[in-house]
Amino acid sequence: MSQRGMKWIVGLDLRRQSQGAIKFGAWLARTSQADGGEHVVGIHVLEEAHLRAALRYHHLQELVDGAREAAEGVVTRVGAEDQVDEIHIVQGGTAERSLEAARIYHHADAIIIGRYATREAKSVLRLGRVARRTVRRLAMPVVVVPPDHDPEAVQAGPVIASVSLTDESDAAVVFAANMAERLQRPLVLAHVVSRPEDYGAHYLPEASLERIGREHQEEGERALADWAAERGYRDAERVVVQGGVIDRLVELSESRKACLVVTGSRLLSTFERMLLTSVGSELAASAPCPVGIVPPK
């Protein structure tokens, strides 16, 4: 394999949310077949608001030393001490800005961060503040990992790339194909098409709905095949399903035991997020496996 190893920033928040992220980063380092392997850098951020409160009672160096000891302890407890090459304690205004600064400083290719809710949790708060804001900033690929994710349990799972057949999918599929090759996993191109009932055709007879559904399915399969051929992915498995994008991709990731799902980003503004669904954020909040969100070039 001629691919070079990637450098990953892993956000360490020292609570249970970061354990899935650390395990996933360590698994990447152990599994990757890229030249030189993967390089994993752990970053824990001492945020300004927390520092202001703690510095009333402790010296700064005491806080830094305590955070480093705790970070090293978490990495050791999850068995990742041999794969996490560096651990850094940094001070910054917010965790998401500091993680992005660390990515630039270390010339890293992507960020791995844990989400708040476990796979089975019914919590309304699912991504968590730092993961949500990190995804919104999205200057480079971000992988969001459930806190209870165990990558060793999905060793045979593929990398699934969500394909919208627009330009926003291009960078995401390139990233997914890269990951599938370096992890020696199959690449699955998944495209979701609408069902007749999704656009209010409830008044039509069942037979008509079935015919329209078949037409949508066939059109989607042809469009995905053409899209894949144009971009050099003829050999990748293609899957077309009908329904809501988030629900169908979550179901597909569960049924195929995916090791990673990758989607593009439309880079929605704050106002646009009030009107439109962010597929990347919603999928990262709901999927049972890590979700990579890749901005367009």
Side-chain angles (χ1 to χ4, degrees), residues 49-150:
H50 298 160
L51 274 178
R52 280 202 303 266
L55 285 172
R56 299 174 185 173
Y57 310 103
H58 300 275
H59 295 296
L60 176 59
Q61 192 58 50
E62 183 182 358
L63 298 175
V64 172
D65 292 343
R68 177 175 295 280
E69 182 179 353
E72 292 173 349
V74 169
V75 170
T76 299
R77 280 196 298 276
V78 302
E81 63 271 25
D82 292 336
Q83 288 76 42
V84 177
D85 303 299
E86 307 172 44
I87 295 177
H88 297 281
I89 310 300
V90 301
Q91 303 166 45
T94 62
E96 64 274 9
R97 291 181 180 275
S98 298
L99 288 173
E100 175 60 13
R103 183 196 64 79
I104 295 170
Y105 177 81
H106 289 279
H107 303 287
D109 300 285
I111 294 174
I112 303 173
I113 193 167
R115 80 175 186 219
Y116 179 82
T118 63
R119 289 170 294 172
E120 305 299 331
K122 304 300 182 182
S123 172
V124 174
L125 177 63
R126 297 197 61 83
L127 271 185
R129 173 179 61 86
V130 175
R132 183 176 65 253
R133 292 179 178 178
T134 301
V135 167
R136 286 180 179 177
R137 292 180 62 83
L138 205 66
M140 289 290 283
V142 173
V143 178
V144 181
V145 186
D148 55 342
H149 178 66
D150 181 6

Side-chain angles (χ1 to χ4, degrees), residues 27-28 35 49 60 72 86 88 92 118-119 122 156-158 205 216 240 257 275 292-293:
W27 176 78
L28 287 178
D35 291 344
L60 176 59
E72 292 173 349
E86 307 172 44
H88 297 281
T118 63
R119 289 170 294 172
K122 304 300 182 182
H216 280 201
V240 176
K257 300 187 185 301
L275 305 176
I293 308 172

Side-chain angles (χ1 to χ4, degrees), residues 5 73 87 95 125 221 241 272 276:
I87 295 177
L125 177 63
E221 290 173 354
V241 291
E272 288 172 327
L276 302 171

